[in-house]
Structures are given as C-alpha cells and as structure tokens.
C-alpha cells in the first residue's frame, strides 16, 4: 500500500470548532493538524494510540545516549530510551536484559580475563 502525498491546495479542509466539553474522534489515516487556539482559554487534547509494545523506537537511544548519562536518569526514562525488554525476549542484548549494560564496568576497569 503506497503512501498518500501530504495534503495540498486541492484537498478538502474542515475546521473543527466545538463548544467546551466536546470530543472529536477520527481515524489514524486522517491528515490532521492543530490550529491556533483562539478561545482565550486552555485546551486539552488526549491522544490514544495503539502501538505494539514490542516495537522499538525509531531512534536507537541506547546507542545515542552514553551509558554514563543513562546511569543518571530514572528507571522510567531508561525504559523509554530502550533499556527494557518485551517478554519474553524482544530487546535483549547478547541474550541478556539491556539493563545489564549499565551495571557492567567499563572495559578499562575490568580485571584481565574478566
């Protein structure tokens, strides 16, 4: 299935103007965007998305964030940057939980042969 090009000048556009407390549902294939908030008050948006829990993030943060930095953040942040697994084993590194990479000592400080 090919991708549709971004919306252009010939596409139909509809502005959703709704009273407070309204809710708008749309399918994920809809091209959408948020316009300016001209209400004078705050607006709240809630997005519910279903993504397979075993899918990895697009950016390999476990490689782009240094281990020293990863050691300083909370466990929640570590999970978000990839130091987690989806049972039974998706996300493992060398057959082990990637969290073990943060527990390992740097190669320079390991004893010879270990």
């Amino acid at each position: 299935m090919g991708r549709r090009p971004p919306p252009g000048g010939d596409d139909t556009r509809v502005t959703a103007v709704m009273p407070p407390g309204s809710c708008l549902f749309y399918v994920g294939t809809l091209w959408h965007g948020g316009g300016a908030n001209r209400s004078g008050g705050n607006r709240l948006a809630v997005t519910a998305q279903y993504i397979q829990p075993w899918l990895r993030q697009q950016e390999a943060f476990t490689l782009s964030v240094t281990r020293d930095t990863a050691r300083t953040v909370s466990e929640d942040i570590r999970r978000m940057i990839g130091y987690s697994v989806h049972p039974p084993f998706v996300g493992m590194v060398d057959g082990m939980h990637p969290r073990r990479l943060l527990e390992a000592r740097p190669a320079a400080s390991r004893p010879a042969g270990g």
Side-chain angles (χ1 to χ4, degrees), residues 20-49:
S22 297
C23 183
L24 174 67
F25 289 91
Y26 55 87
V27 296
T29 56
L30 175 75
W31 282 96
H32 61 280
N37 180 8
R38 297 187 182 113
S39 70
N42 293 328
R43 35 177 212 195
L44 175 66
V46 177
T47 177
Q49 301 178 27

PDB file of all heavy atoms in Angstrom, residues 20-49:
ATOM      1  N   PRO A  20     -17.049  23.944  24.524  1.00  0.00           N
ATOM      2  CA  PRO A  20     -16.319  23.268  25.608  1.00  0.00           C
ATOM      3  C   PRO A  20     -16.969  21.932  25.966  1.00  0.00           C
ATOM      4  O   PRO A  20     -18.187  21.795  25.976  1.00  0.00           O
ATOM      5  CB  PRO A  20     -16.419  24.250  26.781  1.00  0.00           C
ATOM      6  CG  PRO A  20     -16.627  25.575  26.127  1.00  0.00           C
ATOM      7  CD  PRO A  20     -17.435  25.301  24.894  1.00  0.00           C
ATOM      8  N   GLY A  21     -16.120  20.943  26.220  1.00  0.00           N
ATOM      9  CA  GLY A  21     -16.608  19.619  26.597  1.00  0.00           C
ATOM     10  C   GLY A  21     -16.821  18.690  25.421  1.00  0.00           C
ATOM     11  O   GLY A  21     -17.133  17.524  25.599  1.00  0.00           O
ATOM     12  N   SER A  22     -16.652  19.212  24.200  1.00  0.00           N
ATOM     13  CA  SER A  22     -16.840  18.380  23.020  1.00  0.00           C
ATOM     14  C   SER A  22     -15.664  17.437  22.837  1.00  0.00           C
ATOM     15  O   SER A  22     -14.583  17.647  23.370  1.00  0.00           O
ATOM     16  CB  SER A  22     -16.972  19.257  21.771  1.00  0.00           C
ATOM     17  OG  SER A  22     -18.117  20.066  21.849  1.00  0.00           O
ATOM     18  N   CYS A  23     -15.893  16.420  22.033  1.00  0.00           N
ATOM     19  CA  CYS A  23     -14.860  15.438  21.759  1.00  0.00           C
ATOM     20  C   CYS A  23     -14.897  15.101  20.272  1.00  0.00           C
ATOM     21  O   CYS A  23     -15.967  14.957  19.692  1.00  0.00           O
ATOM     22  CB  CYS A  23     -15.124  14.183  22.590  1.00  0.00           C
ATOM     23  SG  CYS A  23     -13.875  12.917  22.416  1.00  0.00           S
ATOM     24  N   LEU A  24     -13.739  15.017  19.670  1.00  0.00           N
ATOM     25  CA  LEU A  24     -13.639  14.707  18.251  1.00  0.00           C
ATOM     26  C   LEU A  24     -12.883  13.393  18.092  1.00  0.00           C
ATOM     27  O   LEU A  24     -11.800  13.225  18.650  1.00  0.00           O
ATOM     28  CB  LEU A  24     -12.884  15.829  17.520  1.00  0.00           C
ATOM     29  CG  LEU A  24     -12.565  15.590  16.050  1.00  0.00           C
ATOM     30  CD1 LEU A  24     -13.839  15.554  15.227  1.00  0.00           C
ATOM     31  CD2 LEU A  24     -11.622  16.664  15.546  1.00  0.00           C
ATOM     32  N   PHE A  25     -13.462  12.459  17.357  1.00  0.00           N
ATOM     33  CA  PHE A  25     -12.813  11.186  17.054  1.00  0.00           C
ATOM     34  C   PHE A  25     -12.509  11.155  15.573  1.00  0.00           C
ATOM     35  O   PHE A  25     -13.321  11.606  14.753  1.00  0.00           O
ATOM     36  CB  PHE A  25     -13.732   9.995  17.390  1.00  0.00           C
ATOM     37  CG  PHE A  25     -13.925   9.776  18.844  1.00  0.00           C
ATOM     38  CD1 PHE A  25     -14.972  10.384  19.519  1.00  0.00           C
ATOM     39  CD2 PHE A  25     -13.063   8.955  19.548  1.00  0.00           C
ATOM     40  CE1 PHE A  25     -15.163  10.181  20.870  1.00  0.00           C
ATOM     41  CE2 PHE A  25     -13.244   8.742  20.913  1.00  0.00           C
ATOM     42  CZ  PHE A  25     -14.296   9.353  21.563  1.00  0.00           C
ATOM     43  N   TYR A  26     -11.356  10.627  15.225  1.00  0.00           N
ATOM     44  CA  TYR A  26     -11.019  10.446  13.817  1.00  0.00           C
ATOM     45  C   TYR A  26     -10.084   9.265  13.681  1.00  0.00           C
ATOM     46  O   TYR A  26      -9.417   8.867  14.646  1.00  0.00           O
ATOM     47  CB  TYR A  26     -10.416  11.718  13.207  1.00  0.00           C
ATOM     48  CG  TYR A  26      -9.216  12.262  13.935  1.00  0.00           C
ATOM     49  CD1 TYR A  26      -7.929  11.815  13.654  1.00  0.00           C
ATOM     50  CD2 TYR A  26      -9.371  13.240  14.912  1.00  0.00           C
ATOM     51  CE1 TYR A  26      -6.829  12.311  14.324  1.00  0.00           C
ATOM     52  CE2 TYR A  26      -8.278  13.734  15.585  1.00  0.00           C
ATOM     53  CZ  TYR A  26      -7.012  13.278  15.284  1.00  0.00           C
ATOM     54  OH  TYR A  26      -5.922  13.771  15.957  1.00  0.00           O
ATOM     55  N   VAL A  27     -10.036   8.700  12.491  1.00  0.00           N
ATOM     56  CA  VAL A  27      -9.166   7.549  12.256  1.00  0.00           C
ATOM     57  C   VAL A  27      -7.739   8.030  12.027  1.00  0.00           C
ATOM     58  O   VAL A  27      -7.496   9.175  11.647  1.00  0.00           O
ATOM     59  CB  VAL A  27      -9.654   6.710  11.046  1.00  0.00           C
ATOM     60  CG1 VAL A  27     -11.023   6.117  11.325  1.00  0.00           C
ATOM     61  CG2 VAL A  27      -9.675   7.524   9.778  1.00  0.00           C
ATOM     62  N   GLY A  28      -6.792   7.137  12.260  1.00  0.00           N
ATOM     63  CA  GLY A  28      -5.387   7.485  12.182  1.00  0.00           C
ATOM     64  C   GLY A  28      -4.876   7.798  10.797  1.00  0.00           C
ATOM     65  O   GLY A  28      -3.785   8.331  10.640  1.00  0.00           O
ATOM     66  N   THR A  29      -5.652   7.499   9.765  1.00  0.00           N
ATOM     67  CA  THR A  29      -5.214   7.794   8.404  1.00  0.00           C
ATOM     68  C   THR A  29      -5.569   9.212   7.971  1.00  0.00           C
ATOM     69  O   THR A  29      -5.182   9.633   6.891  1.00  0.00           O
ATOM     70  CB  THR A  29      -5.846   6.802   7.410  1.00  0.00           C
ATOM     71  OG1 THR A  29      -7.271   6.846   7.555  1.00  0.00           O
ATOM     72  CG2 THR A  29      -5.350   5.389   7.670  1.00  0.00           C
ATOM     73  N   LEU A  30      -6.255   9.944   8.824  1.00  0.00           N
ATOM     74  CA  LEU A  30      -6.655  11.311   8.501  1.00  0.00           C
ATOM     75  C   LEU A  30      -5.464  12.250   8.649  1.00  0.00           C
ATOM     76  O   LEU A  30      -4.743  12.215   9.646  1.00  0.00           O
ATOM     77  CB  LEU A  30      -7.765  11.771   9.456  1.00  0.00           C
ATOM     78  CG  LEU A  30      -8.202  13.223   9.323  1.00  0.00           C
ATOM     79  CD1 LEU A  30      -9.060  13.390   8.086  1.00  0.00           C
ATOM     80  CD2 LEU A  30      -8.942  13.671  10.561  1.00  0.00           C
ATOM     81  N   TRP A  31      -5.236  13.094   7.626  1.00  0.00           N
ATOM     82  CA  TRP A  31      -4.234  14.166   7.772  1.00  0.00           C
ATOM     83  C   TRP A  31      -4.867  15.196   8.687  1.00  0.00           C
ATOM     84  O   TRP A  31      -5.966  15.677   8.441  1.00  0.00           O
ATOM     85  CB  TRP A  31      -3.917  14.802   6.415  1.00  0.00           C
ATOM     86  CG  TRP A  31      -3.008  13.979   5.581  1.00  0.00           C
ATOM     87  CD1 TRP A  31      -3.370  13.104   4.600  1.00  0.00           C
ATOM     88  CD2 TRP A  31      -1.587  13.917   5.659  1.00  0.00           C
ATOM     89  NE1 TRP A  31      -2.263  12.502   4.063  1.00  0.00           N
ATOM     90  CE2 TRP A  31      -1.146  12.993   4.690  1.00  0.00           C
ATOM     91  CE3 TRP A  31      -0.638  14.555   6.453  1.00  0.00           C
ATOM     92  CZ2 TRP A  31       0.192  12.698   4.493  1.00  0.00           C
ATOM     93  CZ3 TRP A  31       0.695  14.257   6.260  1.00  0.00           C
ATOM     94  CH2 TRP A  31       1.097  13.332   5.287  1.00  0.00           C
ATOM     95  N   HIS A  32      -4.186  15.526   9.773  1.00  0.00           N
ATOM     96  CA  HIS A  32      -4.768  16.452  10.729  1.00  0.00           C
ATOM     97  C   HIS A  32      -3.696  17.373  11.297  1.00  0.00           C
ATOM     98  O   HIS A  32      -2.505  17.105  11.185  1.00  0.00           O
ATOM     99  CB  HIS A  32      -5.455  15.686  11.869  1.00  0.00           C
ATOM    100  CG  HIS A  32      -4.507  14.821  12.639  1.00  0.00           C
ATOM    101  ND1 HIS A  32      -4.115  13.589  12.185  1.00  0.00           N
ATOM    102  CD2 HIS A  32      -3.866  15.023  13.814  1.00  0.00           C
ATOM    103  CE1 HIS A  32      -3.268  13.053  13.051  1.00  0.00           C
ATOM    104  NE2 HIS A  32      -3.095  13.904  14.047  1.00  0.00           N
ATOM    105  N   GLY A  33      -4.159  18.437  11.870  1.00  0.00           N
ATOM    106  CA  GLY A  33      -3.232  19.379  12.480  1.00  0.00           C
ATOM    107  C   GLY A  33      -3.987  20.264  13.453  1.00  0.00           C
ATOM    108  O   GLY A  33      -5.193  20.442  13.337  1.00  0.00           O
ATOM    109  N   GLY A  34      -3.273  20.812  14.405  1.00  0.00           N
ATOM    110  CA  GLY A  34      -3.891  21.703  15.371  1.00  0.00           C
ATOM    111  C   GLY A  34      -3.754  23.137  14.910  1.00  0.00           C
ATOM    112  O   GLY A  34      -2.677  23.555  14.515  1.00  0.00           O
ATOM    113  N   GLY A  35      -4.839  23.840  14.959  1.00  0.00           N
ATOM    114  CA  GLY A  35      -4.813  25.246  14.584  1.00  0.00           C
ATOM    115  C   GLY A  35      -4.571  26.125  15.787  1.00  0.00           C
ATOM    116  O   GLY A  35      -4.342  25.648  16.902  1.00  0.00           O
ATOM    117  N   ALA A  36      -4.601  27.405  15.560  1.00  0.00           N
ATOM    118  CA  ALA A  36      -4.392  28.368  16.640  1.00  0.00           C
ATOM    119  C   ALA A  36      -5.530  28.266  17.652  1.00  0.00           C
ATOM    120  O   ALA A  36      -6.686  28.074  17.284  1.00  0.00           O
ATOM    121  CB  ALA A  36      -4.329  29.777  16.067  1.00  0.00           C
ATOM    122  N   ASN A  37      -5.198  28.388  18.904  1.00  0.00           N
ATOM    123  CA  ASN A  37      -6.203  28.400  19.960  1.00  0.00           C
ATOM    124  C   ASN A  37      -6.670  29.835  20.135  1.00  0.00           C
ATOM    125  O   ASN A  37      -5.984  30.651  20.721  1.00  0.00           O
ATOM    126  CB  ASN A  37      -5.604  27.850  21.255  1.00  0.00           C
ATOM    127  CG  ASN A  37      -6.611  27.846  22.389  1.00  0.00           C
ATOM    128  OD1 ASN A  37      -7.786  28.115  22.188  1.00  0.00           O
ATOM    129  ND2 ASN A  37      -6.135  27.558  23.585  1.00  0.00           N
ATOM    130  N   ARG A  38      -7.827  30.129  19.613  1.00  0.00           N
ATOM    131  CA  ARG A  38      -8.362  31.493  19.674  1.00  0.00           C
ATOM    132  C   ARG A  38      -9.434  31.630  20.753  1.00  0.00           C
ATOM    133  O   ARG A  38     -10.156  32.616  20.784  1.00  0.00           O
ATOM    134  CB  ARG A  38      -8.946  31.879  18.310  1.00  0.00           C
ATOM    135  CG  ARG A  38      -7.890  31.907  17.225  1.00  0.00           C
ATOM    136  CD  ARG A  38      -8.447  32.448  15.916  1.00  0.00           C
ATOM    137  NE  ARG A  38      -7.409  32.411  14.908  1.00  0.00           N
ATOM    138  CZ  ARG A  38      -7.419  31.629  13.847  1.00  0.00           C
ATOM    139  NH1 ARG A  38      -8.438  30.829  13.636  1.00  0.00           N
ATOM    140  NH2 ARG A  38      -6.437  31.662  12.974  1.00  0.00           N
ATOM    141  N   SER A  39      -9.540  30.638  21.641  1.00  0.00           N
ATOM    142  CA  SER A  39     -10.616  30.623  22.633  1.00  0.00           C
ATOM    143  C   SER A  39     -10.364  31.541  23.819  1.00  0.00           C
ATOM    144  O   SER A  39     -11.291  31.866  24.540  1.00  0.00           O
ATOM    145  CB  SER A  39     -10.822  29.193  23.150  1.00  0.00           C
ATOM    146  OG  SER A  39      -9.713  28.801  23.948  1.00  0.00           O
ATOM    147  N   GLY A  40      -9.120  31.918  24.064  1.00  0.00           N
ATOM    148  CA  GLY A  40      -8.826  32.719  25.244  1.00  0.00           C
ATOM    149  C   GLY A  40      -8.587  31.865  26.482  1.00  0.00           C
ATOM    150  O   GLY A  40      -8.218  32.370  27.530  1.00  0.00           O
ATOM    151  N   GLY A  41      -8.807  30.563  26.375  1.00  0.00           N
ATOM    152  CA  GLY A  41      -8.573  29.641  27.498  1.00  0.00           C
ATOM    153  C   GLY A  41      -7.676  28.500  27.049  1.00  0.00           C
ATOM    154  O   GLY A  41      -7.287  28.420  25.876  1.00  0.00           O
ATOM    155  N   ASN A  42      -7.360  27.652  27.986  1.00  0.00           N
ATOM    156  CA  ASN A  42      -6.557  26.474  27.642  1.00  0.00           C
ATOM    157  C   ASN A  42      -7.411  25.442  26.931  1.00  0.00           C
ATOM    158  O   ASN A  42      -8.625  25.377  27.140  1.00  0.00           O
ATOM    159  CB  ASN A  42      -5.984  25.836  28.915  1.00  0.00           C
ATOM    160  CG  ASN A  42      -4.966  26.719  29.585  1.00  0.00           C
ATOM    161  OD1 ASN A  42      -4.259  27.463  28.922  1.00  0.00           O
ATOM    162  ND2 ASN A  42      -4.884  26.643  30.899  1.00  0.00           N
ATOM    163  N   ARG A  43      -6.792  24.632  26.095  1.00  0.00           N
ATOM    164  CA  ARG A  43      -7.493  23.480  25.545  1.00  0.00           C
ATOM    165  C   ARG A  43      -6.661  22.243  25.812  1.00  0.00           C
ATOM    166  O   ARG A  43      -5.438  22.304  25.871  1.00  0.00           O
ATOM    167  CB  ARG A  43      -7.845  23.589  24.072  1.00  0.00           C
ATOM    168  CG  ARG A  43      -6.968  24.256  23.167  1.00  0.00           C
ATOM    169  CD  ARG A  43      -7.491  24.174  21.744  1.00  0.00           C
ATOM    170  NE  ARG A  43      -6.290  24.134  20.918  1.00  0.00           N
ATOM    171  CZ  ARG A  43      -6.251  24.327  19.644  1.00  0.00           C
ATOM    172  NH1 ARG A  43      -7.355  24.532  18.984  1.00  0.00           N
ATOM    173  NH2 ARG A  43      -5.145  24.290  18.988  1.00  0.00           N
ATOM    174  N   LEU A  44      -7.348  21.182  26.031  1.00  0.00           N
ATOM    175  CA  LEU A  44      -6.718  19.929  26.395  1.00  0.00           C
ATOM    176  C   LEU A  44      -6.961  18.913  25.288  1.00  0.00           C
ATOM    177  O   LEU A  44      -8.081  18.805  24.782  1.00  0.00           O
ATOM    178  CB  LEU A  44      -7.309  19.416  27.711  1.00  0.00           C
ATOM    179  CG  LEU A  44      -6.853  18.036  28.184  1.00  0.00           C
ATOM    180  CD1 LEU A  44      -5.371  18.053  28.544  1.00  0.00           C
ATOM    181  CD2 LEU A  44      -7.684  17.602  29.380  1.00  0.00           C
ATOM    182  N   ALA A  45      -5.921  18.197  24.932  1.00  0.00           N
ATOM    183  CA  ALA A  45      -6.063  17.134  23.938  1.00  0.00           C
ATOM    184  C   ALA A  45      -5.559  15.839  24.549  1.00  0.00           C
ATOM    185  O   ALA A  45      -4.553  15.814  25.255  1.00  0.00           O
ATOM    186  CB  ALA A  45      -5.271  17.468  22.686  1.00  0.00           C
ATOM    187  N   VAL A  46      -6.270  14.789  24.300  1.00  0.00           N
ATOM    188  CA  VAL A  46      -5.868  13.461  24.730  1.00  0.00           C
ATOM    189  C   VAL A  46      -5.764  12.612  23.477  1.00  0.00           C
ATOM    190  O   VAL A  46      -6.673  12.590  22.656  1.00  0.00           O
ATOM    191  CB  VAL A  46      -6.898  12.842  25.696  1.00  0.00           C
ATOM    192  CG1 VAL A  46      -6.501  11.418  26.072  1.00  0.00           C
ATOM    193  CG2 VAL A  46      -7.060  13.703  26.932  1.00  0.00           C
ATOM    194  N   THR A  47      -4.641  11.951  23.318  1.00  0.00           N
ATOM    195  CA  THR A  47      -4.477  11.087  22.156  1.00  0.00           C
ATOM    196  C   THR A  47      -4.281   9.666  22.646  1.00  0.00           C
ATOM    197  O   THR A  47      -3.434   9.403  23.501  1.00  0.00           O
ATOM    198  CB  THR A  47      -3.306  11.544  21.260  1.00  0.00           C
ATOM    199  OG1 THR A  47      -3.149  10.612  20.184  1.00  0.00           O
ATOM    200  CG2 THR A  47      -2.009  11.671  22.004  1.00  0.00           C
ATOM    201  N   ALA A  48      -5.090   8.784  22.153  1.00  0.00           N
ATOM    202  CA  ALA A  48      -4.969   7.368  22.498  1.00  0.00           C
ATOM    203  C   ALA A  48      -4.486   6.648  21.249  1.00  0.00           C
ATOM    204  O   ALA A  48      -5.161   6.656  20.218  1.00  0.00           O
ATOM    205  CB  ALA A  48      -6.315   6.815  22.942  1.00  0.00           C
ATOM    206  N   GLN A  49      -3.312   6.075  21.346  1.00  0.00           N
ATOM    207  CA  GLN A  49      -2.740   5.397  20.191  1.00  0.00           C
ATOM    208  C   GLN A  49      -2.377   3.983  20.576  1.00  0.00           C
ATOM    209  O   GLN A  49      -1.892   3.742  21.685  1.00  0.00           O
ATOM    210  CB  GLN A  49      -1.496   6.128  19.704  1.00  0.00           C
ATOM    211  CG  GLN A  49      -1.784   7.555  19.320  1.00  0.00           C
ATOM    212  CD  GLN A  49      -0.540   8.283  18.890  1.00  0.00           C
ATOM    213  OE1 GLN A  49       0.418   7.692  18.414  1.00  0.00           O
ATOM    214  NE2 GLN A  49      -0.536   9.585  19.057  1.00  0.00           N
TER     215      GLN A  49
END
